[in-house]
Amino acid sequence: MALLPILQYPDPRLQRVAKPVLDVNAEIRKLIANMAQTMYAAPGVGLAASQVDVHKRVIVVDVSETHDNLLALINPVIVEQSGTADYEEGCLSVPGIFDTVTRSERIIVRALNAEGKPFETAAEGMLAVCIQHEMDHLEGRVFVEYLSPLKQQRIRAKLKKQQRRIM
Ligand code: K1U
Ligand code: ZN
């Protein structure tokens, strides 16, 4: 397994729309394993393939405290959604920035698992938020795009400053 470098906002590669996976094969299973390892190491509760510069429709999430409830979703589609909920979000591609986003409270998502088998799962609370956040990445959308233009400008300036300090 390998730790994968995570793209940092506002890298333009984060805006790419990911392509559907046509064949769930060993390469996809290796990608899932590497993404899971990268997410746990970060640490984070989700990761989209787009964030590691692989533009395929694959996400991993695990909102458990014990890191033993990994959910890998290939070609995920939300088939039902209800309610709205505000949640303070973070993103491994936007380090140190947290802000509130409104999303659907409950969702039912359909996807393929790592064996290529279709399944549906219902999610609410943090799991629902996290799945929606990761699915946004597959559309080339980062959570800060839900914030006001002024906040986005401030975030860009703050990240630029942080990145200058690292270099
Ligand atoms: O997409 C990502 O970069 C992962 C992101 C997922 C997410 C978090 C919170 C709300 C919506 C989506 C993160 O994991 S940021 C890190 C984080 O929230 C966290 C890290 C360790 C423990 C608990 C949370
Ligand atoms: Zn994110």
Side-chain angles (χ1 to χ4, degrees), residues 89-126:
E89 300 194 10
C91 181
L92 299 174
S93 294
V94 196
I97 306 292
F98 299 88
D99 216 319
T100 304
V101 176
T102 305
R103 298 191 187 269
S104 298
E105 192 177 15
R106 284 173 296 276
I107 59 169
I108 296 177
V109 63
R110 182 181 297 157
L112 302 178
N113 68 13
E115 279 72 52
K117 202 170 156 230
F119 71 103
E120 272 187 20
T121 189
E124 59 181 27
M126 190 177 186

Side-chain angles (χ1 to χ4, degrees), residues 46-48 51 89-94 133-134 137 141-143:
L47 193 68
Q51 292 176 276
E89 300 194 10
C91 181
L92 299 174
S93 294
V94 196
H133 174 115
E134 303 312 331
H137 278 300
R141 225 171 7 243
V142 176
F143 85 102

Side-chain angles (χ1 to χ4, degrees), residues 20-125:
V21 174
L22 302 179
D23 181 18
V24 181
N25 53 26
E27 182 203 328
I28 296 295
R29 282 186 279 278
K30 186 174 165 194
L31 172 65
I32 289 170
N34 288 339
M35 285 172 60
Q37 195 189 18
T38 304
M39 171 186 76
Y40 289 131
V45 290
L47 193 68
S50 314
Q51 292 176 276
V52 293
D53 205 18
V54 177
H55 302 279
K56 295 181 181 170
R57 303 188 80 81
V58 178
I59 65 173
V60 292
V61 293
D62 187 349
V63 299
S64 74
E65 281 178 15
T66 40
H67 290 184
D68 60 357
N69 207 4
L70 180 70
L71 186 60
L73 299 152
I74 301 166
N75 299 340
V77 178
I78 292 173
V79 291
E80 275 183 52
Q81 53 197 325
S82 59
T84 57
D86 292 346
Y87 202 92
E88 179 155 280
E89 300 194 10
C91 181
L92 299 174
S93 294
V94 196
I97 306 292
F98 299 88
D99 216 319
T100 304
V101 176
T102 305
R103 298 191 187 269
S104 298
E105 192 177 15
R106 284 173 296 276
I107 59 169
I108 296 177
V109 63
R110 182 181 297 157
L112 302 178
N113 68 13
E115 279 72 52
K117 202 170 156 230
F119 71 103
E120 272 187 20
T121 189
E124 59 181 27

